[in-house]
Amino acid sequence: MNIVIACGGTGGHLFPGIAVAQELKAQGHHPVLLISRKEVDADASRKYGDLEFHSIPAVAKPATLSPKMLPFLWKMARTYLTCRSILKAEKADAVLGMGGFTSLPPIMAGHHMGLPTFVHDSNAMPGRSNRLTAKWCSAVLLGMGAAEKFFPKSRCEIVGTPVREELKTLPAAAEAKAKLGLPADKPVILVTGGSQGARNLNSMLIEAAKADPEVHYLVIAGKLDYERVSGLADGAANITVLGFCSDMPAAYAAADGVIARSGASTLTELSYIGKACLLIPFPFAADDHQTHNARVFADKGAAVLCQQRDLTTEKVLSFVHDTCLAPAARCAMEDAMRALSRPDAAQAIATVVTAK
């Protein structure tokens, strides 16, 4: 079957879409991925040369009463027509959107062409765009069961959120540290704000790292914040700053614990590999959905939840030393994390999308 997957805009949409495409291709199907023209999409797509990508204009919806609404509708119409052309050229049998407004035009086009259409939402509280897109979908695919109540009129399938193939086999910790140039004799804490980075989180964690010289901190700052964060680190021997990490399997394998935002894709990866984590939700996320995500994990003992306004150096060091560096506490949290994983998510999505 020819399956078109709309998955651009952020790593949280892109990487799960790539994982589904890899699974579909392994099953003998022909996946085509629609991505945005953002740099994060271009960077990631270059890494997967065995997959077919098309870029389409990303269309983010403004406030309904905003003067930007008319330009939005015009761009939306143009993108819709572009998507119809792609679906026809690819002889699409089904359309899958991985969330966000990049998914809406191709799903609408597929629906109007009489194709089976699906949208995937990985969050505990679905985004408004997905709630709108669901109106044109044959089924809604969910990463977390907590989201089902937001789609009362839709057929819902709880399938989990897939992880990329490369994360399914991690290197040994010593090998990973060597690859990343990290010291072999120190514990490592990974700090990541997601594919876009996290300016305030980066600043707070650099200060905490400076107060903890016996632990090495690997900070993935995001390309836009790399220079500033490197300046804040000021050459501290226990801090490594990266703008972008092209080898996340090594970063995860090297880490004794993780401090991160609570986007659904990040949580999916952390639960799959089983890492103790301190979750700091992005305070301005739509509908505060990152807090809802984090609470699902914290309530199961799989993570520590701390709002950004409450984060202090003392709380960071308590998590690092009382959990990550305490074997019993770390193992308990890692086990709770793995219990929330859905390792077969890509296969479950592929099964629904390719069903006759």
Side-chain angles (χ1 to χ4, degrees):
M1 294 178 66
N2 299 317
I3 311 295
V4 173
I5 305 173
C7 60
T10 70
H13 297 140
L14 177 64
F15 295 127
I18 288 172
V20 175
Q22 290 171 327
E23 175 62 26
L24 287 167
K25 188 169 182 179
Q27 292 184 11
H29 301 292
H30 175 227
V32 175
L33 295 98
L34 304 185
I35 58 174
S36 76
R37 293 170 181 169
K38 291 184 177 180
E39 188 176 357
V40 62
D41 288 7
D43 284 345
S45 63
R46 280 192 288 269
K47 189 175 177 182
Y48 299 94
D50 60 325
L51 296 175
E52 181 179 342
F53 293 87
H54 292 282
S55 66
I56 60 174
V59 186
K61 181 182 176 295
T64 302
L65 300 179
S66 165
K68 297 179 180 178
M69 195 64 185
L70 283 177
F72 162 76
L73 292 173
W74 171 247
K75 291 178 183 177
M76 181 82 168
R78 292 180 63 187
T79 302
Y80 169 88
L81 293 174
T82 298
C83 291
R84 278 189 72 102
S85 296
I86 293 172
L87 296 182
K88 286 180 180 179
E90 296 292 342
K91 298 180 180 178
D93 294 302
V95 182
L96 167 65
M98 298 306 295
F101 270 99
T102 303
S103 295
L104 180 55
I107 284 176
M108 287 182 67
H111 173 78
H112 293 148
M113 292 169 66
L115 301 175
T117 51
F118 308 89
V119 68
H120 180 273
D121 196 297
S122 52
N123 292 294
M125 174 172 279
R128 295 174 188 176
S129 60
N130 285 354
R131 283 180 255 174
L132 173 62
T133 301
K135 296 178 182 179
W136 290 277
C137 287
S138 310
V140 176
L141 312 181
L142 300 176
M144 300 186 197
E148 189 170 10
K149 63 186 177 185
F150 294 97
F151 298 100
K153 297 181 180 180
S154 299
R155 169 192 155 206
C156 292
E157 300 277 354
I158 301 169
V159 293
T161 298
V163 298
R164 294 166 279 171
E165 193 67 30
E166 66 200 76
L167 292 177
K168 295 182 179 180
T169 305
L170 301 187
E175 177 188 346
K177 288 181 178 182
K179 288 176 74 174
L180 296 170
L182 305 176
D185 59 344
K186 283 189 175 183
V188 172
I189 299 298
L190 171 63
V191 178
T192 175
S195 61
Q196 308 297 323
R199 185 179 177 90
N200 290 336
L201 179 62
N202 290 338
S203 298
M204 292 176 174
L205 268 298
I206 289 294
E207 291 307 308
K210 286 182 173 180
D212 197 16
E214 299 307 310
V215 175
H216 200 88
Y217 287 76
L218 173 60
V219 181
I220 304 174
K223 285 187 175 181
L224 296 179
D225 208 21
Y226 172 73
E227 295 295 339
R228 187 188 69 88
V229 175
S230 294
L232 291 176
D234 195 27
N238 71 317
I239 302 175
T240 297
V241 181
L242 300 177
F244 175 78
C245 182
S246 60
D247 193 348
M248 284 306 296
Y252 284 136
D256 295 278
V258 180
I259 301 173
R261 293 300 195 195
S262 47
S265 186
T266 297
L267 289 172
T268 297
E269 294 180 352
L270 290 171
S271 62
Y272 184 89
I273 60 180
K275 285 290 175 180
C277 60
L278 171 62
L279 298 176
I280 302 141
F282 178 53
F284 306 109
D287 298 321
D288 198 24
H289 71 267
Q290 288 204 7
T291 294
H292 289 269
N293 290 345
R295 195 166 286 132
V296 168
F297 284 75
D299 286 350
K300 297 292 186 179
V304 175
L305 166 60
C306 181
Q307 296 293 351
Q308 184 170 291
R309 63 179 176 271
D310 300 323
L311 188 66
T312 63
T313 292
E314 290 72 23
K315 288 184 178 180
V316 172
L317 299 189
S318 174
F319 166 72
V320 171
H321 291 272
D322 297 342
T323 299
C324 300
L325 304 187
R330 185 177 75 198
C331 286
M333 187 171 285
E334 289 173 346
D335 288 344
M337 256 293 181
R338 292 188 193 96
L340 290 173
S341 177
R342 179 73 188 265
D344 66 339
Q347 295 96 315
I349 293 172
T351 297
V352 174
V353 172
T354 59
K356 298 290 187 182

